[in-house]
Amino acid sequence: MSHEDLLLEVADLHVYYGAIHALKGISIRVPKGSIVTLIGANGAGKTTTLSTIAGLVKARSGKIVFNGQDITNKPAYMVNQMGIAMVPEGRRIFPNLTVYENLMMGAYNRNDKEGIKNDLEWVFELFPRLRERLTQLGATLSGGEQQMLAISRALMSRPSLLMMDEPSLGLAPLLVAEVFDVIKKINAEGTTILLVEQNAMGALKTAHYGYVLETGNIVMEAPTTELLNNEQVKKAYLGVA
């Protein structure tokens, strides 16, 4: 894979929380146009990886290169302006703002009125329910609708890389399937996705390439078709004896 094809490269990343060594030199590569997933148990370092890329957590050492530029330890607002958006775990929408206002918060770095209008239409095609709820406050939405709003808000910044932290967490099975379908649709429209999921089966069936994290280390990486058939992965993460 040439460097031109890489959108994101994380090299030998070390992150500490106080004395705790949370990421122990991990390296991941996300090619343009792909869906890459990080799977692993709770506490493996998946959220820390995304948060460090997003500029929310500082790296002790290592390098994060996005679109050919070194973004290691750049502030979060700058990382967002450069084209990385994050859908955080637990949705974190603005509960006292309407659906429309939440979506506009996603577009606050933009001033292309026509483009914003087109992107609004696009998220309403992805999630028709949001159009119906446009004037409702975020707090009054169901969990599933809040997740749709969190994804749409991130898309309104028109990112080249969308990072998603546990998008299926706490959703009803039907909605989980819908979220994974939408991830594929967003990717088909040209957005590269870095996906963190505890639902390893859903993630591996959706993504093209996967990394398995255990206590801050990458213990395995492969195309997802291989990981789905790997005996260790089946036993540890897919609930297959």
Side-chain angles (χ1 to χ4, degrees):
M1 190 192 312
S2 76
H3 278 279
E4 292 80 70
D5 301 332
L6 272 186
L7 184 61
L8 178 77
E9 184 164 21
V10 175
D12 197 22
L13 195 65
H14 287 264
V15 174
Y16 287 78
Y17 292 120
I20 297 165
H21 198 175
L23 295 182
K24 301 166 185 168
I26 71 164
S27 299
I28 57 175
R29 295 155 71 103
V30 181
K32 283 180 183 155
S34 68
I35 304 174
V36 171
T37 187
L38 309 179
I39 64 168
N42 258 340
K46 306 186 301 293
T47 296
T48 301
T49 303
L50 295 194
S51 300
T52 310
I53 295 166
L56 300 165
V57 171
K58 287 266 182 279
R60 178 81 60 91
S61 63
K63 204 169 180 188
I64 303 168
V65 177
F66 173 68
N67 235 347
Q69 287 182 287
D70 187 345
I71 61 162
T72 319
N73 292 338
K74 279 207 185 316
Y77 76 89
M78 217 178 265
V79 173
N80 182 260
Q81 283 169 351
M82 290 171 82
I84 297 180
M86 179 146 152
V87 183
E89 185 185 346
R91 314 190 244 285
R92 309 240 184 104
I93 58 155
F94 300 104
N96 300 324
L97 297 183
T98 64
V99 167
Y100 177 74
E101 289 164 340
N102 265 282
L103 292 170
M104 286 300 104
M105 287 300 280
Y108 78 97
N109 274 328
R110 297 173 61 180
N111 49 21
D112 55 322
K113 282 207 171 86
E114 204 49 44
I116 290 172
K117 213 170 96 183
N118 292 340
D119 284 347
L120 262 182
E121 278 308 310
W122 178 42
V123 300
F124 293 150
E125 273 172 43
L126 286 174
F127 300 115
R129 261 173 288 183
L130 290 183
R131 192 197 298 269
E132 298 159 19
R133 308 266 191 276
L134 213 48
T135 56
Q136 272 183 232
L137 293 182
T140 65
L141 302 178
S142 70
E145 288 162 351
Q146 288 189 11
Q147 187 60 27
M148 293 169 194
L149 181 55
I151 294 170
S152 301
R153 180 181 62 188
L155 289 174
M156 287 304 294
S157 70
R158 184 55 82 82
S160 4
L161 175 66
L162 181 65
M163 300 197 297
M164 307 178 87
D165 193 359
E166 304 283 9
S168 78
L169 194 69
L171 298 182
L174 262 174
L175 278 173
V176 170
E178 193 179 320
V179 165
F180 284 122
D181 277 347
V182 162
I183 290 169
K184 286 181 184 161
K185 277 185 197 157
I186 293 167
N187 178 245
E189 294 275 343
T191 306
T192 305
I193 295 171
L194 179 57
L195 172 67
V196 154
E197 258 299 340
Q198 279 216 286
N199 181 339
M201 183 69 87
L204 292 175
K205 284 184 168 171
T206 304
H208 306 109
Y209 198 86
Y211 291 87
V212 181
L213 262 78
E214 275 176 23
T215 55
N217 292 294
I218 285 164
V219 292
M220 204 182 299
E221 60 167 287
T224 47
T225 44
E226 284 178 33
L227 290 175
L228 279 165
N229 292 312
N230 179 287
E231 289 308 319
Q232 277 172 281
V233 172
K234 278 184 185 175
K235 276 192 190 121
Y237 302 105
L238 306 180
V240 182

